[in-house]
């Protein structure tokens, strides 16, 4: 790969069936699978792991890896649960979370400095994507690694028709013990409870976990939560987000997921879903961004 030549920190390695970019910077290590542009690991020398990756993760073609930051695009979650503006753009019944997470992306930019590394991967429309989702597009995911992590997902409409997407950066976080976690920031926000007939509810206090949680929070939220000694802060420009933990029973049904793994992870997914879906006109772009800080 010519882009990788003469780079100080970046190299491509084969992990089982998948090509992965490894970034061995003096201050941090990161791994991105070219399939799905999925960031699987980001570990800072001083701050430790930013992301959770399943101990039983499989690097196989055609399937998303359990952990890190899967990219859900051009629809999020179960297709039928999306507004008609999103489902009208898709041909036929399709699986959850869109097709971008299972496609091979192209490495399009690497910029290395003493303090940071910026990586861009790009996915373009193909015969395969046009059969499912009949729009020409260019999707770019830009990762900036430093003492913090920034991800920007840039959707460009190259078609002559308008399209509407839902999407998410489906981040898996490591926690010491899920039963002790309190997530702050969503207090007083409304949420849609996917486990209770999609009813709209009000978050009264911090979010805590003593059962399965699968909720879409409405509005722009600055999340903060603690796990033992570490504090995570997650910001985004989006106006919807998903908080998820599968708890005991659902854990048993998930791929690449040990039965007790729900105790050591949680997901907060910066999203554009429900009324927050995004319509992109021809020649226009939209950027979903998130920044993760660990203290
Ligand atoms: C979350 C959804 O975003 O992703 C959950 O809200 C879902 O309902 C979870 O179970 C995992 O999805 P998948 O397809 O990666 O197993």
């Amino acid at each position: 790969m010519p882009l990788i030549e003469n780079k100080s920190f970046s190299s491509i390695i084969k992990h089982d069936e998948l090509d992965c970019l490894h970034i061995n910077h003096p201050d941090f290590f990161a791994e991105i699978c070219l399939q799905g542009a999925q960031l699987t690991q980001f570990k800072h020398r001083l701050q430790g792991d930013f992301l959770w990756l399943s101990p039983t993760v499989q690097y196989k073609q055609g399937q998303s890896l359990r952990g890190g930051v899967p990219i859900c695009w051009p629809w999020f979650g179960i297709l039928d649960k999306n507004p008609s503006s999103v489902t009208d753009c898709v041909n036929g019944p399709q699986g959850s979370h869109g097709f971008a997470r299972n496609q091979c992306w192209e490495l399009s930019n690497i910029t290395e400095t003493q303090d940071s590394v910026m990586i861009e991967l790009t996915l373009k429309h193909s015969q395969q994507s046009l059969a499912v989702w009949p729009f020409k597009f260019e999707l770019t995911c830009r990762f900036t690694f430093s003492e913090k992590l920034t991800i920007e997902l840039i959707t460009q409409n190259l078609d002559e028709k308008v399209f509407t997407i839902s999407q998410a950066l489906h981040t898996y976080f490591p926690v010491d013990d899920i039963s002790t976690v309190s997530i702050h920031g969503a207090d007083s926000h409304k949420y849609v409870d996917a486990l209770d007939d999609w009813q709209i509810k009000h978050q009264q206090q911090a979010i805590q976990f003593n059962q399965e949680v699968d909720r879409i929070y409405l509005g722009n939220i600055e999340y903060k939560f603690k796990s033992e000694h570490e504090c995570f802060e997650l910001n985004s420009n989006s106006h919807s987000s998903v908080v998820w933990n599968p708890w005991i029973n659902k854990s048993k049904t998930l791929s690449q997921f040990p039965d007790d793994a729900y105790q050591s992870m949680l997901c907060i997914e910066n999203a554009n879903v429900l009324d927050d879906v995004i319509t992109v006109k021809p020649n226009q772009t939209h950027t979903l961004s998130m920044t993760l800080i660990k203290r």
Side-chain angles (χ1 to χ4, degrees), residues 5 41 130 151 191 209 225 262 287:
E5 281 164 20
Q41 300 180 59
L130 289 167
I151 307 179
Y191 67 89
F209 301 85
F225 66 94
Y262 73 94
T287 302

Side-chain angles (χ1 to χ4, degrees), residues 66 76 96-97 101 170 172 214 242 244 250 254 269:
R66 181 73 64 194
F76 170 82
S96 294
H97 290 330
R101 66 176 178 164
H170 190 309
Y172 286 78
D214 196 348
V242 177
W244 178 62
K250 184 148 188 188
L254 294 174
E269 306 157 39

